[in-house]
Amino acid sequence: MRTQHASAERGGERGLHHSRSIVREVFASTSLTQRFILSPASRHNRSGERAAIDQPCPAARRLSAETLSMDDEEVKRRTPPLVAAVTAQGVAAAFLFLATTFWPQGLEAPFLLVFAQGLLAAAVSAAQHAPRWWWLIHALFPMAIYGALQLPIDPVWYLIAFIFTLAIFWRTDVSRVPLFLSNKPTAEALLQLLPAHAAQIIDLGCGDGGLLRHLARARPDCRFVGIEHAPLTWAWAALASRKQPNLSIRRGDFWRESLAPYALVYAFLSPEPMPRLIAHARKTMTDGSLLVSNSFMAPGAEPEAVIDVDDRRQTRLYCYRMLGLGRGKVPA
Ligand SMILES: C[S@@+](CC[C@H](N)C(=O)[O-])C[C@H]1O[C@@H](n2cnc3c(N)ncnc32)[C@H](O)[C@@H]1O
C-alpha cells in the first residue's frame, strides 16, 4: 500500500510509521489549526468546503453545497427517496389514467402505455431533482414489471425474492449504502493503521463481518465491534464470527452509536452519507482517534493520509485524525 498524502507524522502511530507506505506528498503546513480534522475555514466557510472537495474524489465532487452542510436534522427533513419514487410513478399513472379517458384506444396498446408510464415517471423524477440514475430506474421499472408479468412464474416467488433482497439490503433507499465488501488487501492495509497498543475498533456497517474477522484474528489484544442493520447480513456476520472472542457483531443503526470508545473507526459507505459521517465523527469521537473511510472522502475535512491499497479495484483509504476536539485521549 502507498500513503499518498500525510499532513503530519506523529510518534506512537504505529500504522503510519511502520507500514510500507511511501509518503508522496506532504501537506504544506503543519500548524495546529491546519492539523485539526476540520479547520475553521472548512468548518465555517462554504467556499472553503467546496475547495476541499474539489480535490481528488470525483464522487465527493458531485455533492452539492446543500448536502455538504447536511446534519442529522436536515436528513430527517428530506423527502424519503421511497416517497419521492412512489410519487413519480403515481403522478405518471394518474396522468395516463386521465389520458386514456380521452383516448381509450391507448388501452389496446398496453406496451405503449407502459413505455409512456416509464418516460413520464422519469420526467417527474427529473423535476424532483433526483439523481440521474433514478430517472433510468423510473424509465425501466414499468417495463420490468410488465415483462415479469408475462412470465409463467408463481407470484409467491416475487414475494420471496423481495423479502430475501430486503433482508440483505434492508433500507438502502434511505441509507444510500448498498452491500459490497472490503477485500483482503484492504484488511491488510487497515491492520497497519491499528494502534500499537490494545484498543477498540469499530466497523460501521460491517456487512458479512469478514473484514473484522481478519483483523480480530491478527490482533487478539484488540477488541472489535461491527454494527449492521440488515437482518440477514447481520445474522450471517454474527454466526460466522461466533468463535472469535474479541469480536462482537451487533444489530443496529450506527448513527445511534457513540464513537467515543473507539481508537479507530472504519467505514465503507458511499458518497451520500459522508457529510453526515464526518459530522457524527466530530461530535462523538475522541482526540487522537482515527476515522478511516474506504473510497469516499469526507467533504470539508482534510485527510491526514490517503493510502493507495495495492489491489485491482485501486482502493483508497482516507484517514482523518481527530485532533483539537478537546474530548480526552485515545482510549487504551
Ligand atoms: C459497503 S458495505 C461494507 C461492509 C463492510 N464494512 C466491509 O467493508 O466489508 C456497507 C454496509 O453498511 C450497512 N449499513 C448501511 N447503513 C447502515 C446503518 N445506518 N446502520 C448499520 N448498518 C448500515 C449496509 O447494510 C452494508 O452491509
Side-chain angles (χ1 to χ4, degrees):
M1 79 179 173
R2 288 173 299 143
T3 304
Q4 197 179 52
H5 309 290
S7 63
E9 290 191 42
R10 273 171 281 279
E13 288 162 18
R14 174 180 174 266
L16 298 180
H17 279 270
H18 297 279
S19 67
R20 288 156 287 155
S21 309
I22 302 164
V23 178
R24 279 218 308 251
E25 189 184 320
V26 177
F27 284 142
S29 169
T30 53
S31 77
L32 192 62
T33 323
Q34 292 209 342
R35 285 162 58 191
F36 277 22
I37 177 70
L38 291 177
S39 67
S42 57
R43 229 184 290 169
H44 303 301
N45 172 340
R46 181 155 286 191
S47 62
E49 288 174 342
R50 282 213 182 112
I53 63 159
D54 270 353
Q55 287 168 4
C57 177
R61 215 179 293 150
R62 285 198 298 273
L63 292 166
S64 66
E66 218 175 285
T67 320
L68 287 180
S69 60
M70 188 171 62
D71 59 16
D72 284 12
E73 286 309 308
E74 283 178 69
V75 169
K76 281 181 206 151
R77 278 198 297 273
R78 278 191 322 174
T79 309
L82 205 56
V83 174
V86 171
T87 305
Q89 292 289 343
V91 169
F95 186 83
L96 283 177
F97 180 76
L98 277 179
T100 50
T101 58
F102 296 107
W103 187 58
Q105 298 91 318
L107 292 170
E108 285 157 29
F111 187 75
L112 207 65
L113 281 183
V114 167
F115 189 69
Q117 165 82 23
L119 285 188
L120 277 173
V124 177
S125 179
Q128 288 170 333
H129 302 292
R132 280 173 194 220
W133 50 269
W134 267 112
W135 308 359
L136 191 68
I137 290 175
H138 279 299
L140 298 180
F141 184 68
M143 283 187 261
I145 300 265
Y146 182 76
L149 287 174
Q150 310 306 308
L151 299 174
I153 295 175
D154 192 322
V156 80
W157 286 108
Y158 291 115
L159 182 65
I160 290 170
F162 173 73
I163 292 171
F164 189 70
T165 311
L166 187 68
I168 292 179
F169 293 99
W170 205 228
R171 297 300 310 276
T172 302
D173 60 308
V174 176
S175 71
R176 309 288 184 98
V177 182
L179 173 67
F180 36 84
L181 302 172
S182 297
N183 54 24
K184 218 166 171 190
T186 303
E188 286 298 321
L190 206 54
L191 259 183
Q192 308 296 320
L193 294 172
L194 299 190
H197 52 79
Q200 295 207 68
I201 286 86
I202 189 167
D203 182 3
L204 304 179
C206 64
D208 72 344
L211 173 94
L212 285 176
R213 281 193 295 284
H214 188 97
L215 299 181
R217 279 194 292 267
R219 287 294 301 271
D221 59 321
C222 291
R223 178 138 200 85
F224 297 85
V225 175
I227 311 273
E228 175 56 53
H229 67 177
L232 197 57
T233 316
W234 160 78
W236 180 306
L239 199 68
S241 310
R242 69 192 184 288
K243 291 195 178 140
Q244 195 62 47
N246 59 336
L247 167 59
S248 57
I249 304 285
R250 298 210 300 263
R251 172 141 198 264
D253 178 0
F254 61 66
W255 296 119
R256 294 170 186 270
E257 193 75 20
S258 165
L259 305 177
Y262 305 103
L264 189 146
V265 174
Y266 177 74
F268 186 17
L269 304 176
S270 73
E272 180 73 19
M274 290 312 291
R276 194 177 176 197
L277 179 66
I278 194 69
H280 188 60
R282 286 199 66 251
K283 240 185 251 166
T284 65
M285 285 176 74
T286 49
D287 252 5
S289 53
L290 191 67
L291 170 68
V292 181
S293 170
N294 184 333
S295 304
F296 306 109
M297 271 187 95
E302 189 176 280
E304 176 187 72
V306 179
I307 293 167
D308 286 328
V309 177
D310 197 9
D311 63 355
R312 285 234 307 269
R313 69 173 289 272
Q314 299 185 311
T315 300
R316 273 190 163 179
L317 298 177
Y318 295 92
C319 306
Y320 299 94
R321 180 77 60 188
M322 299 292 144
L323 289 175
L325 299 175
R327 276 196 293 274
K329 304 242 177 319
V330 181

